[in-house]
Amino acid sequence: MEVYGVALNSRLMLGTAQYPSPAVLQAAFEASGAAVATVSLRRESTGGEGQAFWSMIQALGVRVLPNTAGCQSAKEAITTALMAREVFDTDWIKLEVIGHNDTLQPDVFGLVEAAAELSAQGFKVFPYCTEDLIVGEKLLAAGCEVLMPWGAPIGSGRGLNNVHGLTRMRHEFASIPLVVDAGIGVPSHAAQAMELGFDAVLLNTAVARAGDPVAMAQAFGASVTAGRMAFEAVPIEAADTGSASTPVLGKAFLS
């Protein structure tokens, strides 16, 4: 996968929050093979603990993608992104502007506004958005070179709520890197996203809060690989009737 001119050796992006311990986080990343770690400025800003956390993330040897998690306005998201660029020394930013407290659905108006401003300031913006085609067009016009539509509400584990909408988005933006972000609960959800032709998936809670985060991380790594392989192999089309795989020629009786 290539995004913003950077080649990534995995199509799995993994969050760094909610793990039971730093050791489990590190082991989960190693088991998953993920190429990108999303990190929150809020975590990094907690004094000495934050510095130790940042040192551990650096030791993982993966690409760091700071996020603006929890921001509820364009102004707040822009300020957080500017701070994150200084702290993490990267112009990559996962842009979140939350508009609804219960579903954590993006505020697409604030999102487009913030994306335009951050792109103008040299950021490589990864916008957490809905599967709305118009929103996608406006984000691309604002300077984004990747789109990250949600599968379902953040942390819900519901999988892909709107397969039709996501499929339409994939067809509409055929040449744009698309990452399913949020709502993934089990490896089959990730595989389904990849089978639809998405370029990557980003998840956190499904691994961090699993009974065995390391084993789950490994499972997700395998599912992303399998799903992409299936997409590239061109799956058969679904049918409403059965079709025998064994020919009738040679049967003892034909009726």
Side-chain angles (χ1 to χ4, degrees):
M1 177 185 176
E2 184 172 309
V3 59
Y4 286 114
V6 176
L8 302 174
N9 60 8
S10 170
R11 295 176 182 272
L12 178 62
M13 302 179 178
L14 199 56
T16 56
Q18 305 183 63
Y19 289 83
S21 72
V24 171
L25 187 158
Q26 185 172 9
F29 261 86
E30 292 172 353
S32 73
V36 173
T38 61
V39 294
S40 171
L41 180 66
R42 298 171 191 269
R43 176 67 178 272
E44 173 61 17
S45 299
T46 54
E49 179 186 349
Q51 185 57 49
F53 170 76
W54 176 222
S55 297
M56 180 187 63
I57 296 301
Q58 289 177 303
L60 293 175
V62 298
R63 188 86 187 193
V64 175
L65 178 61
N67 63 41
T68 62
C71 293
Q72 296 185 312
S73 69
K75 181 179 180 180
E76 184 182 10
I78 292 168
T79 301
T80 301
L82 291 168
M83 295 170 63
R85 181 159 63 179
E86 294 298 319
V87 171
F88 297 109
D89 191 28
T90 179
D91 56 5
W92 280 24
I93 191 73
K94 179 192 171 187
L95 181 61
E96 296 182 26
V97 182
I98 301 302
H100 192 271
N101 289 332
D102 290 335
T103 64
L104 301 181
Q105 180 171 336
D107 171 0
V108 295
F109 303 100
L111 182 67
V112 172
E113 178 186 347
E117 176 61 27
L118 291 173
S119 294
Q121 295 197 38
F123 281 89
K124 309 296 188 296
V125 180
F126 293 69
Y128 163 61
C129 60
T130 62
E131 67 276 24
D132 186 286
L133 300 182
I134 305 304
V135 172
E137 290 176 353
K138 290 187 178 298
L139 287 168
L140 295 176
C144 299
E145 295 182 14
V146 58
L147 299 174
M148 302 180 71
W150 65 345
I154 295 172
S156 68
R158 297 184 61 86
L160 309 185
N161 273 351
N162 185 1
V163 173
H164 173 75
L166 290 170
T167 301
R168 188 71 186 89
M169 193 174 204
R170 177 69 286 177
H171 290 166
E172 185 74 16
F173 304 115
S175 62
I176 303 299
L178 299 181
V179 181
V180 171
D181 175 17
I184 299 295
V186 291
S188 59
H189 295 157
Q192 182 185 21
M194 301 305 294
E195 289 166 3
L196 292 177
F198 281 79
D199 296 280
V201 296
L202 192 158
L203 54 102
N204 187 166
T205 307
V207 168
R209 299 185 64 181
D212 185 339
V214 178
M216 187 62 78
Q218 185 175 15
F220 269 106
S223 70
V224 168
T225 298
R228 182 65 186 187
M229 290 177 66
F231 170 72
E232 292 178 344
V234 188
I236 64 172
E237 294 185 6
D240 293 329
T241 59
S243 176
S245 57
T246 302
V248 298
L249 185 64
K251 286 180 60 176
F253 299 96
L254 294 176
S255 58

